[in-house]
């Protein structure tokens, strides 16, 4: 009986450890520090196995202490990702605005992006969420203005003083422009990715913000969340992605209604088919 209890406890422990390790792997696999950590872990595993098998006591002792060092190092290497994850845990509300206010803002914002794209005016926006973007505000000019398409077109016009850099939007207002965002140094599949797009990736890797890029070269519109860039979005796809991010509940509800209506339409067609067969 006690053997079975011990057996299940061991199985449970192994399962819990694997689930935790897998979740940690999933959360960090695309991050900048992941390769360093995987390399270090592999090196430590090989050295510890060799020292255990050959009974090399001094190396084993060093390995044991290095594990502790690695845990401390991971806190430093993954500091932005940990900050992000903890902020997500701590925040329950991303927008302190009513759904209708956010809806209105998204309409205005989509209109601005569409005009920027048609006119091929390069632009970069970062939407602040639970992690403050104050440190990036300091690199540009702090503002506190109502957002409008005309405002965005003026700021990003290539002949204005503020066009270089990104605009920060916080609480549906323009908090600053001409801000310098951290540029991601990650290796990207598309090697031609320029600095504006890399800055969008970089700032969303460091904070939980959402970045929107309009390419000056192609007019393409992209959204970046958690360092993942969705490029070349059509107007509809862009709008729907924005709603998914900022109005997730409303979007879910709409999708459910669509599915329900499609289902009902299918039932009706099926019914008609049966009647015809009869
Ligand atoms: N770190 C940064 N933070 C904010 N904006 C930046 C940063 N680096 C570059 N930019 C903006 O990007 C512009 C240069 O973009 P670049 O052509 O290198 O990028 P891109 O991704 O190819 O964009 P595009 O498709 O618009 O040309 C700069 O003029 C500047 O306004």
């Amino acid at each position: 009986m006690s053997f079975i209890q011990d057996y299940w406890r061991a199985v449970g422990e192994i399962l819990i450890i694997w689930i935790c390790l897998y979740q940690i792997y999933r959360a960090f696999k695309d991050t900048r520090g992941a390769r360093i950590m995987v390399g270090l872990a592999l090196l430590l595993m090989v050295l510890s196995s060799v020292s255990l098998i050959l009974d090399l006591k001094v190396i084993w002792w060093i390995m044991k202490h290095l594990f502790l060092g690695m845990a401390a190092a991971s806190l430093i290497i993954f500091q932005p990702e940990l900050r992000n994850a903890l902020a997500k845990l701590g925040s329950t509300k991303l927008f302190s605005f009513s759904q209708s206010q956010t809806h209105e803002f998204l309409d205005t914002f989509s209109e601005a992006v569409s005009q920027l794209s048609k006119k091929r005016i390069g632009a970069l926006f970062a939407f602040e969420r639970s992690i403050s973007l104050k440190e990036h505000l300091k690199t540009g000019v702090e503002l506190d203005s109502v957002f409008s398409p005309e405002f965005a077109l003026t700021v990003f016009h290539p002949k204005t003083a503020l066009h270089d850099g990104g605009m920060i939007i916080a609480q549906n207002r323009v908090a600053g422009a001409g801000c310098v965002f951290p540029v991601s140094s990650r290796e990207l599949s598309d090697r031609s990715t320029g600095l504006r797009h890399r800055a969008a990736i970089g700032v969303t890797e460091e904070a939980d913000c959402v970045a929107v890029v309009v390419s000056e070269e192609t007019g393409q519109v992209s959204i970046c969340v958690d360092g993942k860039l969705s490029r070349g979005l059509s107007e509809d796809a862009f709008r729907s992605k924005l709603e998914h991010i900022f109005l997730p509940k409303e979007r879910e509800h709409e999708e459910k209604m669509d599915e329900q209506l499609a289902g009902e339409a299918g039932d009706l067609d099926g019914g008609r088919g049966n009647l015809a067969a009869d």
Side-chain angles (χ1 to χ4, degrees), residues 84-104:
N84 238 332
L86 290 174
K88 271 183 200 160
L89 270 181
S91 72
T92 48
K93 229 166 131 193
L94 299 177
F95 261 77
S96 54
F97 286 92
S98 71
Q99 299 258 317
S100 67
Q101 274 173 312
T102 305
H103 222 293
E104 214 173 283

Side-chain angles (χ1 to χ4, degrees), residues 120-124 139 156 162-167 178-184 192-200 203 213-220 231:
R120 298 267 168 100
I121 297 179
L124 172 59
T139 62
F156 285 112
L162 283 180
H163 83 278
D164 242 353
M167 181 184 283
C179 304
V180 181
F181 298 151
V183 174
S184 173
S192 63
T193 307
L195 283 177
R196 204 189 309 268
H197 291 82
R198 279 193 174 272
V203 74
V213 193
V214 180
S215 164
E216 189 176 12
E217 239 174 85
T218 60
Q220 266 191 359
R231 300 182 87 137

Side-chain angles (χ1 to χ4, degrees), residues 5 25 59 77 84 118 158 166 178 189 192 198 233 241-242 277:
Q5 264 180 355
Y25 167 75
I59 295 184
I77 295 170
N84 238 332
K118 280 178 192 146
S189 50
S192 63
R198 279 193 174 272
L233 299 168
K241 242 185 181 316
L242 279 184

Side-chain angles (χ1 to χ4, degrees), residues 67-142:
F67 269 120
L68 282 178
M70 215 175 127
S74 63
L75 287 181
I76 298 164
I77 295 170
F78 290 114
Q79 191 242 338
E81 288 82 8
L82 284 171
R83 198 173 57 159
N84 238 332
L86 290 174
K88 271 183 200 160
L89 270 181
S91 72
T92 48
K93 229 166 131 193
L94 299 177
F95 261 77
S96 54
F97 286 92
S98 71
Q99 299 258 317
S100 67
Q101 274 173 312
T102 305
H103 222 293
E104 214 173 283
F105 179 80
L106 294 185
D107 282 342
T108 315
F109 183 71
S110 307
E111 177 55 33
V113 167
S114 159
Q115 289 193 29
L116 286 164
S117 161
K118 280 178 192 146
K119 291 184 174 27
R120 298 267 168 100
I121 297 179
L124 172 59
F125 302 90
F127 284 82
E128 183 181 81
R129 295 211 275 182
S130 50
I131 295 178
S132 165
L133 296 177
K134 259 207 173 103
E135 61 178 294
H136 303 313
L137 265 184
K138 286 185 208 144
T139 62
V141 174
E142 287 195 35

